[in-house]
Amino acid sequence: MAQHPVIISGAGPVGLVAALSLAQKGIDVVLLEGESHIPEDLRAGTFHPPTVEMLDTLGIGETLRSRAVQVPEWQIRDRKTGLVAQFDLGLIADLTPYPFRLHVEQHKLSNIAYQALQQHSNAKVMYRHRCTGYTQDADGVTVTFDGPDGAGEIRGSYLIGADGARSVVRKTMGTEFEGFTWPERFLVFATPYDLRQQGYTGNAYIADPDEWTAIFIQPHDGNGIWRIAFPIKGDADDTEVLQPESVQGKIKGFLSPDIDYDIPYKSVYRVHQRVAKNFRDQRVFIAGDAAHVNNPLGGMGLNSGIHDAINLTDKIAQVMQNGADDDVLTRYERQRRTVNVEYVQAITIRNKRLLEERDPEVRKQRLDEMRATAKDKDAHRQFLINSSMIASVRRANEIA
């Protein structure tokens, strides 16, 4: 029986990595993207060691590293008392060739993967073609789309929905997107001011019951730019929140109040913690934000999506090329959904609870635990194995 291509909905980093992985394995792939170009979402920008290793297997890890900032140490701080704990990824250098967090905007990975995909004649990217749904039978899946010339359809062997949190593929599957939405929203802005001048590492989290803060350096014009996230009330007016004096007040609240900071970028967005009840519907799969979303405290969402892509495309290749049993594909759901619930959701929720804890006694206890963990070499190392996502990849591989 002739094999149809694998169809992917969504040309974000997860969809493009999945497409590149399949194309390199010799599998025909068609990528549908509703926009006219690669989306430039600025939210995600942290890559953990296992993810960089996976990108190496696709031949694009070195290029990404050349455009990124390496962050070998990161901090937890208290807004009033200062440094609580500093974690050194050098302690896991025996487990990975990349003992650091790699900071670079996700759209740069998308562009690198897209350029690599151009070298493969068995891959086709169709911009301005938005997936609108699918039907399937025992032999394949028929994907419908809207394009510049109107509605159309394409036949595939499998469909991967990497089309974001509002995924059409997931909605067509009819599976529940279980979880919740945080009541507050996130204000994110950027400044070229170098926070290292005031003792910060390239990644830091500041605990405070009212205004916790997350800080990430990103590459920009040689010196880097610092992205800073704050919570704001869910019903706050965006126009007021984004006023220059309001944003200046936020940054001066934890840095020097005597400086007026350059703020070239600012935005507000809502944050969710959700996992789809099912990651598979026969010949259809979901990955990345289509399958799970979480808050950014820990930098795990994008990484987990790339782990989905590599895991799933390896299994599709086993079935299409090596005649593996169909249960291999069901294992994708068992592995990736389990670790998202057990690790990604659990850790990112715990990170947020740590930063925003209001009870003074509970707050003190949790920060003291962080201090003790950083001081104990074995505990420090195990904490890094979990927070760097090495543990989640190991756990997924253990699930039969």
Side-chain angles (χ1 to χ4, degrees):
M1 182 181 299
Q3 291 183 338
H4 299 289
V6 174
I7 303 168
I8 300 174
S9 174
V14 174
L16 282 159
V17 165
L20 181 60
S21 177
L22 290 168
Q24 290 184 348
K25 292 174 171 60
I27 295 173
D28 292 349
V29 59
V30 175
L31 185 57
L32 304 176
E33 169 55 49
E35 301 297 328
S36 60
H37 58 276
I38 292 173
E40 293 197 2
D41 191 329
L42 298 177
R43 292 185 194 178
T46 297
F47 294 86
H48 290 295
T51 311
V52 183
E53 294 178 41
M54 291 178 190
L55 297 176
D56 272 351
T57 67
L58 302 181
I60 59 176
E62 183 176 355
T63 304
L64 186 69
R65 292 193 297 276
S66 71
R67 301 180 187 178
V69 177
Q70 295 181 13
V71 180
E73 296 180 305
W74 59 276
Q75 299 172 338
I76 295 177
R77 305 172 72 97
D78 181 84
R79 192 178 181 92
K80 294 180 179 178
T81 63
L83 182 64
V84 172
Q86 186 158 313
F87 295 96
D88 178 8
L89 279 90
L91 288 178
I92 57 171
D94 60 319
L95 302 179
T96 175
Y98 309 118
F100 46 77
R101 291 183 173 186
L102 195 69
H103 285 199
V104 59
E105 304 95 319
Q106 68 174 29
H107 66 82
K108 291 183 179 176
L109 170 61
S110 295
N111 279 283
I112 292 168
Y114 176 75
Q115 291 301 318
L117 199 61
Q118 301 311 296
Q119 307 305 312
H120 297 275
S121 60
N122 60 334
K124 182 179 182 180
V125 181
M126 298 173 64
Y127 287 111
R128 300 169 62 201
H129 286 74
R130 187 179 305 278
C131 172
T132 57
Y134 68 83
T135 58
Q136 60 181 319
D137 52 47
D139 297 323
V141 56
T142 299
V143 179
T144 57
F145 60 80
D146 280 335
D149 300 321
E153 62 181 39
I154 186 171
R155 185 72 169 168
S157 293
Y158 298 99
L159 168 64
I160 300 173
D163 47 350
R166 298 177 180 178
S167 170
V168 169
V169 175
R170 186 191 67 246
K171 292 175 181 178
T172 305
M173 285 174 63
T175 189
E176 296 178 44
F177 208 20
E178 300 173 334
F180 62 92
T181 299
W182 293 101
E184 69 272 44
R185 293 178 296 157
F186 281 35
L187 163 66
V188 179
F189 59 86
T191 178
Y193 177 81
D194 191 347
L195 273 70
R196 287 171 293 203
Q197 298 179 59
Q198 298 192 33
Y200 289 83
T201 49
N203 184 195
Y205 304 96
I206 304 175
D208 185 82
D210 296 311
E211 282 199 345
W212 53 262
T213 311
I215 298 164
F216 306 84
I217 191 173
Q218 294 286 303
H220 183 74
D221 291 343
N223 296 319
I225 195 166
W226 296 73
R227 287 173 53 197
I228 304 172
F230 281 91
I232 60 169
K233 292 181 179 179
D235 59 356
D237 182 83
D238 286 9
T239 302
E240 294 180 7
V241 168
L242 295 172
Q243 286 295 317
E245 60 271 19
S246 175
V247 177
Q248 287 290 333
K250 295 286 187 185
I251 193 169
K252 290 181 179 182
F254 75 96
L255 292 179
S256 171
D258 302 322
I259 301 173
D260 286 329
Y261 299 89
D262 181 19
I263 309 292
Y265 165 82
K266 53 192 175 183
S267 68
V268 173
Y269 64 92
R270 192 166 293 282
V271 179
H272 312 270
Q273 299 279 163
R274 297 185 182 277
V275 183
K277 185 174 182 179
N278 304 104
F279 283 21
R280 181 189 185 190
D281 172 23
Q282 300 177 68
R283 290 178 170 272
V284 180
F285 307 85
I286 50 175
D289 285 357
H292 46 78
V293 290
N294 55 270
N295 79 69
L297 303 179
M300 294 188 167
L302 170 61
N303 289 267
S304 185
I306 293 171
H307 298 181
D308 293 344
I310 297 300
N311 184 303
L312 176 57
T313 54
D314 284 349
K315 289 175 171 54
I316 288 176
Q318 290 177 43
V319 173
M320 292 185 71
Q321 295 181 323
N322 300 328
D325 188 89
D326 182 76
D327 187 59
V328 167
L329 297 173
T330 302
R331 194 179 307 151
Y332 162 73
E333 179 177 74
R334 291 198 296 267
Q335 291 177 336
R336 296 306 309 156
R337 190 179 191 283
T338 299
V339 299
N340 198 276
V341 171
E342 291 182 354
Y343 286 86
V344 178
Q345 300 296 320
I347 291 174
T348 56
I349 291 172
R350 187 165 63 244
N351 288 346
K352 187 171 181 294
R353 297 299 191 202
L354 169 69
L355 297 185
E356 68 185 6
E357 179 57 53
R358 304 196 70 85
D359 185 298
E361 291 301 316
V362 175
R363 176 184 177 80
K364 181 179 183 303
Q365 177 185 348
R366 290 178 178 173
L367 293 179
D368 283 346
E369 288 172 355
M370 288 291 99
R371 291 185 181 96
T373 296
K375 290 178 181 178
D376 183 299
K377 186 175 180 179
D378 290 338
H380 190 148
R381 177 179 164 89
Q382 187 57 52
F383 180 80
L384 291 172
I385 291 172
N386 287 332
S387 62
S388 70
M389 303 188 77
I390 291 174
S392 74
V393 173
R394 289 176 173 176
R395 169 69 173 130
N397 291 338
E398 292 169 355
I399 298 171

